[in-house]
Amino acid sequence: MHFLSTKQIVNREQLTDLFRETDLLKSYKLGQEQNRLSGKVLAIVKDEGSTRTRMSFEVAMKRMGGNVTLLDLDKTTSLSKGETLEDTIRTVSQYVDIIAMRHSQKDMVQHCSNFSSVPVINAGDGHGEHPTQALLDAYTIRNECGRLSGLNIMIAGDLKCSRTAHSLLHLLSLYPDNLIHLVSPKDMMLPDEYKSSNINYIYHPELDSAIAHAGQHLDVLYMTRLQRERYLSEEEVMKYLNERKTPFLGDWESLHKKSGSSSYYILNSEVAEKLNKTCCVLHPLPRNEEIPVEFDKDPRAAYFKQVKNGMWIRMALLWKMLTNNDFFQKLP
Ligand code: NCD
């Protein structure tokens, strides 16, 4: 069965089971994880940039004894000869045992999964979902906080387009008594389709005032970047990236101003000062300006531990999916 959305995780036991497997794999010495997936091949298919998701899937499969092939959906494929994406996926699924697919359009991975004869994992679909990132985020929260219930969690940034936040919120809704603070400009608020009736939300338009209000009580601060590529053309994004020295905050700033907010979403020293001393700070990465590198040495910074957990969780996920076809149910 495909894994396209965290909505396919319908109870806590499923997560507990996956986390138990992840803990076990983590307990082995690196390089001694057994060749459990020997002979299996994973295809990574993508049309968007990816560092952590691509590498951690690749390393996870290799550490389990399997093999990996990468297909970048660019002009080096037969798409440039007029082949459809559907036929491309039909083809890939003839060669491999499982596919991890990332696509820049929302719902495109779900659509393509209909043409695959092997399981497809959604590795991020546009501004939709990123379910495997949510697994590693939840796993990191459980490790850092010791639980996934009764937590005060603040999720800040571009909540309209942050697919990692969309997927994570569903997992958090499976546990009781979580209070979620959503912090975003008005024009980047969380779409209703990712809200759950089981969870209490408080909305804040600015990070400064949100932290002043709730910072002392937070267990987790989850930062996200502005998803420039969802609002701007590729050329405009490259222009901003190339001009890093000049006002890199240009569009972020104008979007904030447009939404009536005067402050940026930056974890600067004043914000860090007002934050609970035991709060764990997460970010799916890549970061832009929202977490200055100076914060990395703060004991609350857990985003590189989060990166490493991504490898363990994907090892466990590949194992579960390749040995139990019913591990995930169809989307309800
Ligand atoms: C995220 C993604 O691609 O959605 N990164 C990741 O997979 N670790 C977050 C982002 O791009 O902002």
Side-chain angles (χ1 to χ4, degrees):
M1 183 53 62
H2 308 306
F3 181 40
L4 303 170
S5 160
T6 45
K7 296 214 168 98
Q8 287 169 270
I9 296 179
V10 289
N11 57 46
R12 288 175 243 163
E13 287 67 40
Q14 235 178 315
L15 269 191
T16 308
D17 184 18
L18 186 72
F19 290 173
R20 201 181 299 122
E21 192 66 47
T22 310
D23 288 338
L24 179 70
L25 287 162
K26 206 173 168 175
S27 71
Y28 297 134
K29 265 200 178 147
L30 271 185
Q32 295 186 337
E33 296 85 8
Q34 309 161 358
N35 282 339
R36 291 207 224 171
L37 293 179
S38 155
K40 300 285 185 194
V41 182
L42 161 76
I44 302 174
V45 178
K46 62 180 192 66
D47 80 336
E48 257 195 0
S50 178
T51 298
R52 278 148 291 269
T53 305
R54 182 185 75 74
M55 276 201 76
S56 59
F57 263 118
E58 186 168 337
V59 171
M61 192 63 179
K62 288 183 172 168
R63 286 197 183 281
M64 299 286 278
N67 261 303
V68 183
T69 177
L70 174 71
L71 187 70
D72 261 312
L73 298 171
D74 56 20
K75 52 183 182 304
T76 60
T77 68
S78 292
L79 289 169
S80 64
K81 301 179 188 168
E83 184 164 51
T84 61
L85 193 51
E86 289 82 351
D87 271 357
T88 305
I89 296 301
R90 280 190 186 100
T91 302
V92 174
S93 75
Q94 302 305 312
Y95 299 135
V96 301
D97 301 283
I98 191 161
I99 299 173
M101 180 175 184
R102 168 169 287 194
H103 200 276
S104 49
Q105 275 178 48
K106 183 176 185 285
D107 297 330
M108 190 53 97
V109 178
Q110 289 82 338
H111 169 76
C112 286
S113 69
N114 296 320
F115 306 95
S116 171
S117 54
V118 298
V120 173
I121 301 172
N122 181 357
D125 66 301
H127 59 283
E129 282 215 44
H130 193 348
T132 63
Q133 178 72 36
L135 293 177
L136 75 96
D137 293 345
Y139 181 74
T140 307
I141 294 173
R142 190 213 61 166
N143 287 0
E144 297 301 306
C145 302
R147 62 190 195 281
L148 277 161
S149 56
L151 294 171
N152 265 287
I153 300 179
M154 185 174 281
I155 307 185
D158 180 357
L159 303 188
K160 181 175 166 189
C161 291
S162 175
R163 56 196 179 194
T164 68
H166 301 167
S167 291
L168 176 61
L169 279 163
H170 172 72
L171 296 185
L172 295 173
S173 76
L174 297 171
Y175 295 81
D177 306 324
N178 287 322
L179 177 62
I180 310 287
H181 296 269
L182 299 173
V183 190
S184 70
K186 284 196 205 76
D187 54 1
M188 292 182 188
M189 282 168 79
L190 181 75
D192 285 343
E193 65 178 296
Y194 301 112
K195 285 195 180 141
S196 155
S197 54
N198 304 348
I199 222 162
N200 289 321
Y201 304 98
I202 301 181
Y203 170 71
H204 309 261
E206 292 184 7
L207 187 64
D208 290 9
S209 53
I211 292 286
H213 171 82
Q216 284 303 320
H217 309 290
L218 287 185
D219 299 295
V220 178
L221 173 61
Y222 187 99
M223 300 289 285
T224 66
R225 72 183 171 97
L226 169 68
Q227 304 269 315
R228 288 180 171 79
E229 70 276 27
R230 313 274 173 230
Y231 302 94
L232 303 168
S233 69
E234 204 174 311
E235 293 72 40
E236 285 173 305
V237 172
M238 285 322 292
K239 189 167 169 287
Y240 278 111
L241 293 175
N242 291 334
E243 287 173 7
R244 206 177 249 272
K245 284 202 203 94
T246 50
F248 185 55
L249 291 171
D251 54 328
W252 196 210
E253 181 176 15
S254 64
L255 283 159
H256 276 252
K257 282 194 176 141
K258 207 170 77 193
S259 72
S261 170
S262 55
S263 62
Y264 308 125
Y265 287 70
I266 297 183
L267 180 47
N268 54 30
S269 51
E270 291 92 77
V271 172
E273 185 59 33
K274 292 188 208 126
L275 194 60
N276 183 356
K277 296 287 167 272
T278 60
C279 178
C280 131
V281 176
L282 300 180
H283 192 306
L285 303 180
R287 68 173 145 190
N288 291 158
E289 62 282 349
E290 62 282 351
I291 303 188
V293 286
E294 293 73 52
F295 190 77
D296 293 0
K297 53 185 182 306
D298 191 297
R300 294 169 291 184
Y303 29 90
F304 286 107
K305 281 193 227 171
Q306 196 183 351
V307 166
K308 191 152 189 173
N309 286 336
M311 176 181 77
W312 305 116
I313 208 98
R314 289 183 172 110
M315 285 165 75
L317 180 75
L318 288 166
W319 168 251
K320 290 281 179 198
M321 288 185 72
L322 284 165
T323 54
N324 177 2
N325 200 29
D326 297 324
F327 189 71
F328 292 110
Q329 306 299 309
K330 265 209 162 110
L331 269 174

